[in-house]
Amino acid sequence: MTMRDVAKEAGVALSTVSHFLNGTAPVAPETRKKILEAIERLNYRPDFTARNLKRQKTSALGLFIPDVTNPFYAELAQGVTDVAQGAGYSVILYATSYKEKLEESFVSLVEQHQVDGVVIAYSFIAERLWGRLASSGVPAVLVDVYPTNDLWPSVVVDNEKGVEKALRYLVSLGHTDIGYLSEPPYVLSLVKRQRAFLSFMKRKGLPLRDEWVLVEKTQRNRVEIGFTLGKKLLKEKKRPTAVVASSDLVAVGALKAFLSSGVRVPEDISVVGFDDILLASYVHPSLTTVRQPKYEMGRTGVEFLLQFLQGKNDCPPLTLIEPVLVERDSCQGRG
Amino acid sequence: MTMRDVAKEAGVALSTVSHFLNGTAPVAPETRKKILEAIERLNYRPDFTARNLKRQKTSALGLFIPDVTNPFYAELAQGVTDVAQGAGYSVILYATSYKEKLEESFVSLVEQHQVDGVVIAYSFIAERLWGRLASSGVPAVLVDVYPTNDLWPSVVVDNEKGVEKALRYLVSLGHTDIGYLSEPPYVLSLVKRQRAFLSFMKRKGLPLRDEWVLVEKTQRNRVEIGFTLGKKLLKEKKRPTAVVASSDLVAVGALKAFLSSGVRVPEDISVVGFDDILLASYVHPSLTTVRQPKYEMGRTGVEFLLQFLQGKNDCPPLTLIEPVLVERDSCQGRG
DNA sequence: TTGAAAGCGCTAACAG
DNA sequence: CTGTTAGCGCTTTCAA
């Protein structure tokens, strides 16, 4: 069933049907009725592929993330799909599980113009792919990734401020002996969090012990990392009274390590995470954490992208989203 | 840069370039070289939309789920994207958050042939949409949804067997007083789980008390449901020594309810969940649960779909995936 | 082995 | 307001 069939059935010209369907020209009431009836009779639906070819667009946006299974990216994805769909775009999900081969094929996807634009919440393993993406000319926006060039705007949480909020909170609770547990800082965000921790402690004249700043070297399950690091911390003769973790998953791992060693949280040690994934409120005790507004970051990302696609090219190169400290039950005052 | 440009640049015919690119006819070595050079020089990439129009397909599959943020669907989605991408299809993600309006627009998407096929892991609010989907003629497969017609195959976990495995395990541990906590049974799977529980208890002559079978009426956050139901259970003068929950989220809520009331798990009460989402292993104590192989279910679903798209139309109407009991730390023996 | 030509289903001038 | 027509970029006969 093509538009041609509808036109024939309705006894009007092809273009009239098109105009009617697109509202691109006024159509007489009777003609309109005839067309409507024909469409109904033939159960006609316009073909998007043809429309896209003609309009030179795909009505699809790409979303590039490492892993949907990671609640952080899942929430981001929801933000992205919600606004994209609202604007009439479908979103093509590309989750690579950090496999180089899939990175490659995602880049091909955009090079072949299968998408009108792309939200990238991913740091490539293969550096050279950035270049191919750039030269494809497809508009992109980075989310949770710091700027890599001056082509694409970037939306990230203010990592420094987030860590400071956590630390200020712990200090206000009377803590001075504070540790830091981190997964391998393989992206800039994690580096910034660690630096912010160090800098705050130094600035405030708080004790800064090497044995309290535990940074994992090898990439593996982050809850396990937290668990290992938590156990390690427990082995020190002098323990900190609070720890901040580089992410909620690490925090949850540490929580498990503490609880399973009979160390009570928050009575014996306070814990604060980073991200505020759903999990944070589900564990016991529920986790006090620095919330990254992931959904909003996703939203903002696509909104920029949509603006760009509409020719408005004036979004800021770097947007810092304000993190929020979410107080739950894993912290307690001292003295 | 179109294929025409490449042909001109290489000094050959348009169709020769096409043949070369698709391997659909042999091409002389020199011609081949000229074409390759031209492609290189012009940085040409074939346009997918045009190809799709010609081939009358979209190379895209739709994935319809309520919510990516729900770890169950996230894992399923990963299974789907992994195999779809492997087969050269992109996947369009459609997450509705149970909004009728979005259901509607997803159905339009398939009616307009924006996808070659669709994996549906969703039960519509608006019943009539099933009909529209069916009459669109687009191949579909149901995952985690029981068959609705004889057009589409369905892949679900064997819910009855799952509950039985949980119960058998608890009984083997010496439990006889067992409760059941459930979210509102708004889909068949949940109904089946509840029935399986009831039927097992009756069959084995185990005590079946109304106050121990708590089924929430209103739809809301499932962890909260578990929490409420857990607290309610604690109010009974005689408590069960074990509970099985309709899902991990409910189980986690119950866990929180117990722990925060000073009831120890598993010492005072054993808990088993259903699903085995990541969360299950992250809480403390980690949750013993009935694993639904979600990733595999997603895989299987698309595999069926791909088979269908290749004309092989012989997949079973109903595939029951075997659930697996995952023993962790939330259960303990009695007597 | 290569090339000319006819569309795929739709949009958008343009003319009437 | 309605109709004619020329493509969008590619695939695929069919003939040379």
Side-chain angles (χ1 to χ4, degrees):
Chain A
M1 288 303 104
T2 78
M3 215 157 91
R4 163 175 271 102
D5 297 316
V6 175
K8 196 174 296 170
E9 177 81 12
V12 301
L14 179 60
S15 59
T16 306
V17 179
S18 173
H19 279 137
F20 168 65
L21 253 24
N22 297 302
T24 125
V27 170
E30 331 169 19
T31 319
R32 168 193 306 262
K33 220 181 79 194
K34 282 191 292 184
I35 295 177
L36 239 21
E37 284 169 1
I39 289 179
E40 182 67 21
R41 255 197 310 281
L42 302 178
N43 190 30
Y44 164 80
R45 304 282 169 226
D47 179 306
F48 245 67
T49 310
R51 170 176 295 179
N52 288 339
L53 174 59
K54 186 65 192 179
R55 290 192 178 158
Q56 293 293 71
K57 48 175 263 177
T58 62
S59 304
L61 262 26
L63 172 59
F64 197 36
I65 56 175
D67 181 11
V68 234
T69 268
N70 179 326
F72 179 90
Y73 294 110
E75 252 190 78
L76 194 102
Q78 189 81 47
V80 169
T81 55
D82 281 1
V83 355
Q85 281 158 20
Y89 283 87
S90 18
V91 358
I92 294 185
L93 177 65
Y94 237 81
T96 59
S97 315
Y98 297 106
K99 293 198 197 93
E100 290 212 30
K101 220 174 123 188
L102 289 179
E103 293 186 353
E104 191 91 32
S105 72
F106 169 73
V107 172
S108 303
L109 181 112
V110 347
E111 282 180 332
Q112 286 162 164
H113 295 277
Q114 295 205 51
V115 291
D116 292 337
V118 46
V119 174
I120 304 177
Y122 191 87
S123 291
F124 288 102
I125 303 165
E127 285 287 344
R128 76 203 148 71
L129 294 178
W130 287 116
R132 280 175 59 188
L133 234 28
S135 64
S136 78
V138 172
V141 15
L142 306 177
V143 177
D144 190 41
V145 173
Y146 282 87
T148 51
N149 62 30
D150 45 345
L151 244 43
W152 305 320
S154 175
V155 178
V156 291
V157 80
D158 191 333
N159 285 290
E160 285 89 349
K161 197 176 280 182
V163 171
E164 295 226 347
K165 283 191 175 181
L167 256 11
R168 253 184 244 289
Y169 173 69
L170 289 174
V171 167
S172 80
L173 252 31
H175 293 277
T176 54
D177 297 353
I178 306 175
Y180 182 75
L181 305 184
S182 175
E183 58 206 289
Y186 61 102
V187 288
L188 201 45
S189 296
L190 291 170
V191 175
K192 296 211 180 219
R193 287 178 208 165
Q194 188 176 340
R195 278 203 208 126
F197 174 82
L198 265 18
S199 131
F200 180 94
M201 296 297 278
K202 198 169 297 173
R203 220 162 54 235
K204 298 291 177 183
L206 297 172
L208 199 48
R209 300 180 167 222
D210 285 349
E211 329 81 85
W212 289 352
V213 178
L214 267 23
V215 177
E216 175 75 14
K217 289 285 189 306
T218 63
Q219 202 62 268
R220 61 199 171 99
N221 181 294
R222 285 142 86 200
V223 175
E224 281 168 25
I225 290 176
F227 189 84
T228 313
L229 263 29
K231 287 286 189 192
K232 200 163 161 195
L233 196 63
L234 257 23
K235 291 213 193 84
E236 298 300 325
K237 52 257 126 212
K238 182 161 167 55
R239 297 173 184 167
T241 61
V243 296
V244 354
S246 61
S247 71
D248 283 351
L249 290 175
V250 170
V252 166
L255 216 58
K256 283 191 80 161
F258 297 157
L259 295 175
S260 66
S261 295
V263 173
R264 293 163 307 159
V265 176
E267 292 82 354
D268 301 326
I269 191 164
S270 291
V271 176
V272 11
F274 203 107
D275 283 348
D276 192 29
I277 55 180
L278 245 27
L279 174 55
S281 61
Y282 291 168
V283 291
H284 182 83
S286 58
L287 193 63
T288 291
T289 190
V290 176
R291 173 166 176 70
Q292 291 204 54
K294 301 157 283 292
Y295 184 89
E296 185 191 314
M297 287 163 71
R299 280 191 73 89
T300 309
V302 229
E303 274 159 9
F304 283 172
L305 197 53
L306 291 172
Q307 270 180 35
F308 193 94
L309 290 173
Q310 287 158 17
K312 282 175 247 150
N313 192 356
D314 53 355
C315 41
L318 180 63
T319 303
L320 286 179
I321 303 275
E322 179 87 11
V324 182
L325 184 79
V326 183
E327 291 183 45
R328 285 196 273 253
D329 309 323
S330 64
C331 294
Q332 181 173 298
R334 283 274 147 174
Chain B
M1 288 302 104
T2 77
M3 214 156 91
R4 164 175 271 101
D5 297 315
V6 174
K8 196 173 296 170
E9 177 80 12
V12 300
L14 179 60
S15 58
T16 307
V17 179
S18 173
H19 279 136
F20 168 64
L21 253 23
N22 298 301
T24 128
V27 170
E30 328 169 22
T31 319
R32 167 193 307 261
K33 218 182 79 193
K34 283 191 290 185
I35 295 176
L36 239 19
E37 284 169 2
I39 289 179
E40 181 67 20
R41 256 198 309 281
L42 303 178
N43 190 29
Y44 165 81
R45 304 283 168 225
D47 179 308
F48 246 67
T49 310
R51 170 175 294 179
N52 288 339
L53 174 58
K54 187 63 195 183
R55 290 192 179 158
Q56 294 292 72
K57 49 176 262 177
T58 63
S59 304
L61 263 26
L63 172 59
F64 196 35
I65 55 175
D67 181 11
V68 235
T69 268
N70 179 326
F72 179 91
Y73 294 110
E75 254 190 77
L76 194 102
Q78 189 81 47
V80 169
T81 54
D82 282 0
V83 354
Q85 281 159 20
Y89 284 87
S90 17
V91 359
I92 293 185
L93 177 65
Y94 237 82
T96 59
S97 313
Y98 297 106
K99 295 201 197 89
E100 289 214 31
K101 220 174 124 190
L102 289 179
E103 294 186 352
E104 191 92 30
S105 72
F106 170 74
V107 171
S108 302
L109 180 111
V110 345
E111 282 180 331
Q112 287 163 162
H113 295 279
Q114 295 205 50
V115 291
D116 292 338
V118 47
V119 174
I120 305 177
Y122 190 89
S123 291
F124 289 100
I125 303 164
E127 285 286 344
R128 76 204 148 73
L129 294 178
W130 286 117
R132 280 175 58 189
L133 233 28
S135 63
S136 78
V138 172
V141 15
L142 306 176
V143 176
D144 189 41
V145 173
Y146 282 87
T148 51
N149 62 27
D150 46 346
L151 243 42
W152 305 321
S154 175
V155 178
V156 291
V157 80
D158 190 333
N159 285 291
E160 285 89 348
K161 197 176 279 183
V163 172
E164 296 225 347
K165 282 190 177 183
L167 256 12
R168 253 183 245 290
Y169 173 68
L170 288 175
V171 168
S172 79
L173 251 30
H175 293 276
T176 54
D177 297 353
I178 306 175
Y180 183 75
L181 305 183
S182 174
E183 58 206 287
Y186 61 104
V187 287
L188 201 45
S189 295
L190 291 170
V191 175
K192 296 211 179 218
R193 286 177 208 165
Q194 187 177 342
R195 278 204 207 126
F197 174 82
L198 265 20
S199 130
F200 181 94
M201 297 298 278
K202 197 169 295 171
R203 220 161 57 235
K204 299 291 177 180
L206 297 172
L208 199 47
R209 299 179 168 224
D210 284 348
E211 329 81 85
W212 290 353
V213 178
L214 267 22
V215 177
E216 175 75 14
K217 290 285 191 304
T218 63
Q219 201 62 268
R220 62 198 172 101
N221 181 294
R222 285 143 84 201
V223 174
E224 281 168 24
I225 291 176
F227 190 84
T228 314
L229 262 30
K231 287 287 188 192
K232 200 163 161 194
L233 197 64
L234 256 25
K235 291 215 193 81
E236 298 300 325
K237 53 260 123 208
K238 182 162 168 50
R239 296 174 185 168
T241 62
V243 296
V244 352
S246 61
S247 71
D248 283 350
L249 290 175
V250 170
V252 165
L255 217 57
K256 283 192 80 161
F258 298 157
L259 295 176
S260 67
S261 296
V263 173
R264 292 163 308 160
V265 177
E267 292 81 354
D268 300 326
I269 192 165
S270 291
V271 176
V272 11
F274 204 106
D275 283 349
D276 192 27
I277 55 179
L278 245 27
L279 174 55
S281 60
Y282 292 168
V283 292
H284 184 82
S286 58
L287 193 63
T288 290
T289 189
V290 176
R291 172 166 176 71
Q292 291 205 54
K294 301 157 284 294
Y295 184 88
E296 185 190 313
M297 286 162 72
R299 281 190 71 89
T300 309
V302 229
E303 274 159 10
F304 283 174
L305 198 53
L306 292 173
Q307 270 180 36
F308 194 94
L309 291 173
Q310 286 158 17
K312 282 175 246 152
N313 192 356
D314 54 355
C315 42
L318 180 62
T319 304
L320 286 179
I321 302 276
E322 178 87 12
V324 182
L325 184 79
V326 181
E327 291 184 45
R328 284 197 274 253
D329 309 323
S330 63
C331 294
Q332 180 172 299
R334 284 274 142 173

